[in-house]
Amino acid sequence: MKKIILYCSILGSFFLPAVLLQAQKALYLAPPDLERLRQEDQQRAAEGTFPRCAVGVPVQDFDLSRQGAWSVDAEGKLVWQLSLHVPGAPGLALYFDRLTLPKGALLRVNTGDRKWSEVVHPEDLEPAAGWLSEFFPGESLDLILSLPPDARDDLEMHLEHVAVAYRMLYFPLFPAPSEKDFGDADACQVNARCSPEGDNWQDQRRSVVRILLKEGSSYGWCSGALINNTNQDCTPYVLTANHCGAGASAADFRNWKYYFNYEAPTCANPSGEGTLATQTVTGSMKVASSSESSSIFRSDFLLTILKIRPLASYNAYLAGWSTSNTGSPSGVGIHHPSGDIKKISTYSQTLLSTTWGGTPGTHWQVKWVATANGHGVTEEGSSGSPIFNNSKLIVGQLSGGSSFCSQPNNPDAYGKFWYSWDQTGTTANRRLKSWLDRNNTNATTLNGRQNNCASATLPTVDFTADQTNVMAGQTVTFTDLTTGSPFAWSWTVSPSTFSFTGGTSAQSQNPKMVFNAQGNYTITLTAANTAGYETKVRSAYIKVTGNIGVEDFPSDPLQLSFYPNPAVDFVRFDAAWDDVKSLWVSVFDAEGRLVQHNLVGPENATLPLAFQREGLYVVRVRSQNGLSGYYKLIKMAP
């Protein structure tokens, strides 16, 4: 499997703890072992795992009061400065997992030589998304923060890691890594505007996007396509591959960057990138995927909604699709190999049904043909790109394959749109039909359209809870108050010691949650409509104290113990069996309902739990002699 994802991941074994030099001015981080990384990359390629482009170096105990220097400028504003260094790094990016700038504040990131910079204002930040900088050339970055003198208490700024780019990133006019994105595709590839290859596919070309992904401390390239839906309302859906970061968090998705029109203006390769990378949309919301992990599973699809519709000046196109399970006799694939400018590959042999892994019939097999300007194939970074049939409709997205410029006749495999439509699962988060046919028209084909719908307003997100001060284990019901006709919701909670209950989930409009530990919980709701999505954050909204049903379980007359706790499949009881002979065990859920009743004795001292949902339970145990005790039990997911 050659082209899973042009990707980057954190490798803790390669890093030494951050060493703070000149405690108020500079922070030096030990660089990763780039040679060892490259050697591992070769091994990973042989094993069929995704290639890396950068690694995240964690910043330990980032503290504004200790790291960096505070001063007051001539206008009376507070100024904080810090210089970051990763010796030998070809390029760097910064990821703040928490960044809140008060009104009037400004954060500037400069390269050490001041040739490159990025400025961040409070209005540039998305709630609960953190902030990811651009990738900058070189081994040093300077951070300069300016804020009003009375606003320091409103500042929240925590740097989680520094991403070290060591390949497949392009730095114009600057010494670059040995591999890069722009210009890195192999020589046989055909630019999407070449004639005759691209002549009949110019609308479809405008739907294809390059995607810069974030998944935790991992970064990489994939391809995707803006795709139409039966409501014809220009909802900015993008279809890509499941293995392209399906395991990313909601905050990670809000840092994904989608590049439109990253392509040569003619058939010839341009001499430089110029302004090609300037038409972008940053931020997306995951709505459906083949699975929750970044792996090729079944038909390997991932569907997101962009933060906003592409601007009219981007001249984007929403591609059409077909749910047919009959192989197309001809067509093209359009993609961004190695994160490079847009390319087109042509097939003239009928697509064959094939499989990836254990499920039969989930993929199309394609073999590319030579054309007037080359022999287009696919590469890493092409993953998630669409394949079009002879009617110019999407029939799948790229999982991987074995085509190379040196071996152009080897086949590639695309996850079938037919399978992703309604075969991958029955719930909305596991199939395309629930999103691309929201009114259940049962359409089997849909033509593409221009991105020229009437303007729409983003939703105004709000929500409430039926109670905000609760005991641990109590159920809290949330009510969505969003206006603007939302149709997709995503709830996130911090900390993660909670569970959904009552048949609800993170995608429910009005979920029910059980909070399993004491503390303050921050609730975040992202809601989408046809214009894109918005996010609402309520910090420390749910305050949890005490325990469910009993006051801290003050007594234990049975002198009983059971383990493990938390438990997954079972708990085992340890009692003075010679005295009690047997025990009647009743299990109550967080809402006080009896969900299980068992007789336990020395010969069957195990209580099965595999069929119970995760969450907090109260266990009541009674003995023959009339003694009883109450205990807390936490059931964890497998």
Side-chain angles (χ1 to χ4, degrees):
M1 183 173 60
K2 175 189 61 173
K3 49 191 89 51
I4 299 301
I5 172 177
L6 177 53
Y7 214 83
C8 352
S9 64
I10 185 170
L11 294 177
S13 60
F14 289 168
F15 305 120
L16 300 175
V19 178
L20 183 64
L21 302 181
Q22 304 176 38
Q24 293 300 312
K25 295 182 180 181
L27 181 65
Y28 280 77
L29 301 175
D33 185 337
L34 298 184
E35 181 57 34
R36 185 175 176 184
L37 285 176
R38 292 187 177 105
Q39 292 174 3
E40 284 207 357
D41 287 340
Q42 295 176 1
Q43 179 63 32
R44 291 167 66 88
E47 295 172 351
T49 52
F50 57 77
R52 300 174 297 212
C53 67
V55 290
V57 181
V59 179
Q60 303 291 344
D61 302 322
F62 183 76
D63 186 344
L64 285 170
S65 63
R66 294 190 303 107
Q67 298 165 347
W70 285 96
S71 60
V72 179
D73 67 11
E75 298 178 353
K77 290 188 175 182
L78 294 174
V79 178
W80 174 87
Q81 299 182 69
L82 176 67
S83 181
L84 283 163
H85 305 272
V86 183
L92 301 175
L94 306 177
Y95 178 65
F96 291 83
D97 58 337
R98 298 191 303 276
L99 183 60
T100 302
L101 299 180
K103 184 177 180 179
L106 181 148
L107 175 64
R108 181 184 298 274
V109 181
N110 297 322
T111 55
D113 57 10
R114 304 303 171 109
K115 290 183 178 179
W116 303 87
S117 66
E118 183 174 7
V119 176
V120 189
H121 299 88
E123 58 269 23
D124 299 328
L125 301 174
E126 183 179 348
W131 181 72
L132 173 65
S133 76
E134 298 287 347
F135 275 91
F136 294 94
E139 61 183 30
S140 300
L141 291 175
D142 295 329
L143 283 73
I144 305 171
L145 170 69
S146 171
L147 68 161
D150 58 350
R152 184 166 176 177
D153 289 343
D154 298 324
L155 171 70
E156 184 178 26
M157 192 164 112
H158 184 266
L159 180 64
E160 181 179 279
H161 62 251
V162 177
V164 177
Y166 67 98
R167 63 173 188 157
M168 296 175 177
L169 282 161
Y170 177 67
F171 305 123
L173 306 179
F174 197 92
S178 59
E179 297 182 69
K180 52 189 182 299
D181 49 2
F182 177 79
D184 194 45
D186 287 342
C188 72
Q189 303 284 13
V190 180
N191 282 332
R193 288 201 176 191
C194 282
S195 179
E197 294 92 341
D199 288 347
N200 296 322
W201 304 94
Q202 291 311 293
D203 283 342
Q204 291 68 37
R205 168 186 59 79
R206 293 187 285 116
S207 73
V208 177
V209 294
R210 182 179 74 152
I211 307 172
L212 177 62
L213 315 172
K214 180 183 185 298
E215 185 181 55
S217 296
S218 304
Y219 302 85
W221 297 112
C222 266
S223 303
L226 196 66
I227 191 167
N228 198 12
N229 74 90
T230 57
N231 285 358
Q232 300 274 7
D233 56 17
C234 295
T235 299
Y237 290 114
V238 170
L239 176 67
T240 185
N242 181 73
H243 70 261
C244 293
S249 69
D252 287 337
F253 275 105
R254 290 195 279 270
N255 282 284
W256 284 28
K257 181 174 287 189
Y258 297 76
Y259 295 78
F260 290 81
N261 301 314
Y262 190 71
E263 61 192 27
T266 66
C267 187
N269 285 325
S271 59
E273 185 181 64
T275 60
L276 293 181
T278 58
Q279 295 187 347
T280 63
V281 173
T282 297
S284 59
M285 173 185 176
K286 174 184 171 182
V287 293
S289 63
S290 297
S291 73
E292 295 304 308
S293 62
S294 300
S295 60
I296 297 178
F297 181 75
R298 295 188 177 175
S299 56
D300 188 33
F301 83 90
L302 170 64
L303 187 69
T304 66
I305 297 177
L306 299 184
K307 166 68 174 172
I308 58 173
R309 295 176 184 173
L311 298 179
S313 60
Y314 295 3
N315 193 28
Y317 184 79
L318 295 107
W321 43 261
S322 170
T323 65
S324 173
N325 195 28
T326 300
S328 171
S330 62
V332 300
I334 305 176
H335 53 108
H336 288 280
S338 298
D340 201 354
I341 54 177
K342 197 174 296 178
K343 309 291 182 178
I344 188 168
S345 303
T346 303
Y347 68 95
S348 58
Q349 300 179 39
T350 300
L351 298 177
L352 300 177
S353 184
T354 186
T355 185
W356 194 298
T359 306
T362 59
H363 282 70
W364 293 119
Q365 178 182 287
V366 60
K367 289 188 177 181
W368 308 112
V369 298
T371 55
N373 292 285
H375 194 144
V377 291
T378 60
E379 303 176 26
E380 53 194 7
S382 300
S383 284
S385 61
I387 189 168
F388 295 92
N389 66 11
N390 59 329
S391 297
K392 302 182 181 180
L393 304 176
I394 291 176
V395 292
Q397 73 289 323
L398 180 65
S399 287
S402 55
S403 70
F404 296 87
C405 282
S406 59
Q407 296 176 304
N409 296 316
N410 287 352
D412 287 334
Y414 285 73
K416 289 182 180 180
F417 194 92
W418 164 80
Y419 197 93
S420 304
W421 186 249
D422 59 4
Q423 301 294 305
T424 305
T426 58
T427 55
N429 66 329
R430 288 290 176 266
R431 60 185 200 165
L432 294 176
K433 185 182 189 305
S434 298
W435 305 100
L436 303 185
D437 188 22
R438 296 197 303 271
N439 290 335
N440 200 29
T441 68
N442 294 317
T444 57
T445 62
L446 181 68
N447 290 328
R449 64 158 298 148
Q450 306 297 326
N451 182 43
N452 60 357
C453 297
S455 61
T457 303
L458 290 169
T460 300
V461 182
D462 200 4
F463 62 90
T464 188
D466 64 345
Q467 50 189 333
T468 57
N469 293 280
V470 298
M471 303 280 285
Q474 281 185 272
T475 296
V476 178
T477 299
F478 291 85
T479 301
D480 170 47
L481 301 176
T482 302
T483 58
S485 302
F487 58 80
W489 299 266
S490 175
W491 297 82
T492 57
V493 179
S494 179
S496 60
T497 50
F498 82 103
S499 59
F500 292 97
T501 188
T504 64
S505 70
Q507 287 190 310
S508 298
Q509 181 178 9
N510 301 306
K512 295 182 178 181
M513 304 181 199
V514 174
F515 299 90
N516 301 325
Q518 299 183 30
N520 295 331
Y521 289 79
T522 294
I523 312 297
T524 302
L525 172 60
T526 300
N529 64 10
T530 63
Y533 72 82
E534 283 284 16
T535 299
K536 177 75 172 183
V537 180
R538 292 192 181 279
S539 299
Y541 184 52
I542 303 297
K543 299 173 175 58
V544 182
T545 59
N547 303 291
I548 183 171
V550 290
E551 292 297 328
D552 294 325
F553 306 99
S555 63
D556 181 14
L558 293 172
Q559 298 297 301
L560 178 72
S561 64
F562 57 92
Y563 55 91
N565 188 11
V568 175
D569 294 317
F570 66 89
V571 292
R572 182 175 296 276
F573 283 81
D574 186 3
W577 298 112
D578 290 339
D579 297 330
V580 299
K581 306 300 182 183
S582 59
L583 300 170
W584 284 267
V585 180
S586 301
V587 181
F588 299 85
D589 67 12
E591 295 181 344
R593 295 172 298 199
L594 178 66
V595 296
Q596 190 172 340
H597 188 69
N598 296 76
L599 180 64
V600 175
E603 288 78 28
N604 61 330
T606 299
L607 180 70
L609 294 169
F611 51 88
Q612 298 293 357
R613 295 180 178 178
E614 61 181 316
L616 180 67
Y617 293 82
V618 171
V619 177
R620 182 182 67 196
V621 181
R622 291 179 178 176
S623 68
Q624 287 178 316
N625 55 16
L627 295 177
S628 62
Y630 291 84
Y631 308 85
K632 289 186 296 184
L633 170 65
I634 296 176
K635 168 68 167 63
M636 305 295 289

